[in-house]
């Protein structure tokens, strides 16, 4: 049996096309994330407001929400 048989997986000729397809998927995913950043930021700010005055203020989940807000603000700018 030949090493280039269909059962052995994709041929090397299809790899550049697969790489291009992967790059376009990443580009589309980034565009979706960037387009959704204002909505995400709004949701995160609303979640952060929940912690104002609560016993959980400053706890790990609150810290993660604050970090996510900083990340989205940095990514959306």
């Amino acid at each position: 049996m030949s090493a280039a048989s269909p059962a052995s997986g994709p041929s090397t000729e299809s790899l550049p096309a697969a790489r291009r397809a992967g790059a376009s998927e990443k580009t589309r995913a980034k565009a979706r994330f960037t387009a959704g950043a204002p909505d995400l930021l709004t949701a995160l700010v609303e979640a952060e407001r929940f912690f104002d005055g609560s016993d959980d203020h400053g706890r790990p989940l609150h810290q993660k929400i604050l970090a996510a807000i900083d990340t989205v603000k940095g990514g959306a700018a």
Side-chain angles (χ1 to χ4, degrees), residues 2-24:
S2 169
S5 70
S8 68
S11 71
T12 56
E13 292 176 16
S14 65
L15 289 178
R19 287 186 185 125
R20 284 193 303 273
S24 64

Side-chain angles (χ1 to χ4, degrees), residues 27-40 72 75-77:
T27 303
R28 284 193 303 266
K30 185 176 181 180
R32 282 192 304 265
F33 175 78
T34 304
D39 295 333
L40 178 60
V72 172

Side-chain angles (χ1 to χ4, degrees), residues 44-65:
L44 288 168
V45 168
E46 287 179 23
E48 197 277 329
R49 286 184 188 143
F50 169 80
F51 289 96
D52 287 344
S54 79
D55 292 338
D56 293 326
H57 187 47
R59 297 242 173 130
L61 180 58
H62 183 228
Q63 294 299 320
K64 287 180 181 181
I65 290 171

